[in-house]
Amino acid sequence: MSAHGMLTDGQFVGSLEDEIRYRGAMDLLISDMAKAEISARVREILRAFRIKDWQSEPHHQNQNIAERYIQELKKYCNWVLNTSDAPPEAIFFIIKYAMFIHNRTARQKLGWRTPYEALTGQTPDISMLFCFRFWQVVYIKNYRESGTGFPSDSNEILCYFLGFAETVGHSTTFIVYNPETHS
C-alpha cells in the first residue's frame, strides 16, 4: 500500500509512473471505474508494462478488495489523529505514517511475512518504528545559525515528527514539521 499526494485526477498518471519507478510494475491495477484510472494514457502504461487491470462496478465497494484495505487504513488514521493531537491538516502525513507501519506488520495471509517483505524479498528493519510517535515533539540541529553561545543559546529547533523518509538517507532518516517555517 502506498500514497501519493494529488490535487487533481489528472495527476494519477504521474503517480502511477512514480509507483512503477519506486517499486516496480504491479501485476494488477484494481479500480472502481474512476475516469483517471481507466484513461487512454493509463491504458498505454498498463500495456507497456504488461499490467492487468480490473474494475469493479461503481458504488459497489464490496467488489473491490482495495476498499477493505482503505477502510482499515482509515481506522488506523483516525486512531493516530485522535491520540496525537496533530492538526487535521496533517492527514496526508498520517496516511503515509499508517501505511509505512502497515507495510511492515506481518500478515497471516502472507505466511506471517510483511507486505514489504512480500514485495521486495527483504525482511524490513523495524527498529526505527520505536523511535518516535506521530506528532511527537523533536528537536533538530539548526544548521543556519552557529549557536556558539554557551549554554543558554540553544542551537536546536522545535519540530514535530511526521514519519519516515523512504527515499532519502538511511533507515533512520525522518520527516519532521517545523512550525516556524511551515515546512
Side-chain angles (χ1 to χ4, degrees):
M1 218 188 309
S2 60
H4 298 271
M6 297 183 287
L7 297 175
T8 67
D9 287 346
Q11 293 174 313
F12 176 76
V13 170
S15 295
L16 176 61
E17 290 172 328
D18 285 344
E19 189 65 23
I20 292 168
R21 187 168 57 97
Y22 293 145
R23 302 193 197 308
M26 62 283 297
D27 296 328
L28 175 68
L29 179 67
I30 299 172
S31 74
D32 59 357
M33 297 287 285
K35 289 181 181 180
E37 296 169 358
I38 59 172
S39 69
R41 180 69 181 118
V42 169
R43 282 197 312 271
E44 287 175 19
I45 294 168
L46 298 181
R47 273 192 211 105
F49 290 99
R50 298 179 183 197
I51 300 169
K52 296 176 186 173
D53 64 326
W54 181 85
Q55 291 82 33
S56 62
E57 295 176 66
H59 313 296
H60 287 81
Q61 294 177 338
N62 59 313
Q63 295 178 349
N64 189 337
I65 192 168
E67 296 292 343
R68 178 71 181 114
Y69 290 110
I70 292 168
Q71 183 182 30
E72 282 295 304
L73 180 66
K74 285 180 180 179
K75 182 176 74 174
Y76 300 145
C77 290
N78 281 331
W79 182 84
V80 170
L81 190 59
N82 292 339
T83 60
S84 67
D85 292 329
E89 295 80 22
I91 192 65
F92 179 68
F93 289 102
I94 292 172
I95 291 168
K96 290 189 69 90
Y97 175 79
M99 281 185 174
F100 187 89
I101 294 170
H102 171 85
N103 289 336
R104 283 154 182 81
T105 303
R107 302 274 179 255
Q108 186 176 9
K109 280 184 172 181
L110 298 174
W112 294 111
R113 296 185 318 157
T114 67
Y116 179 88
E117 185 178 357
L119 179 67
T120 65
Q122 299 175 346
T123 302
D125 177 10
I126 61 168
S127 59
M128 82 290 280
L129 297 178
F130 304 105
C131 296
F132 305 105
R133 66 184 186 282
F134 192 84
W135 206 252
Q136 180 177 341
V137 172
V138 294
Y139 292 91
I140 62 171
K141 182 172 173 51
N142 185 349
Y143 291 97
R144 294 188 177 151
E145 296 177 16
S146 61
T148 57
F150 178 82
S152 59
D153 295 336
S154 174
N155 63 344
E156 296 176 332
I157 303 168
L158 180 139
C159 294
Y160 295 95
F161 176 78
L162 293 178
F164 311 94
E166 295 186 70
T167 59
V168 178
H170 51 74
S171 65
T172 55
T173 303
F174 304 114
I175 301 169
V176 297
Y177 171 72
N178 183 342
E180 288 183 20
T181 63
H182 302 290
S183 61

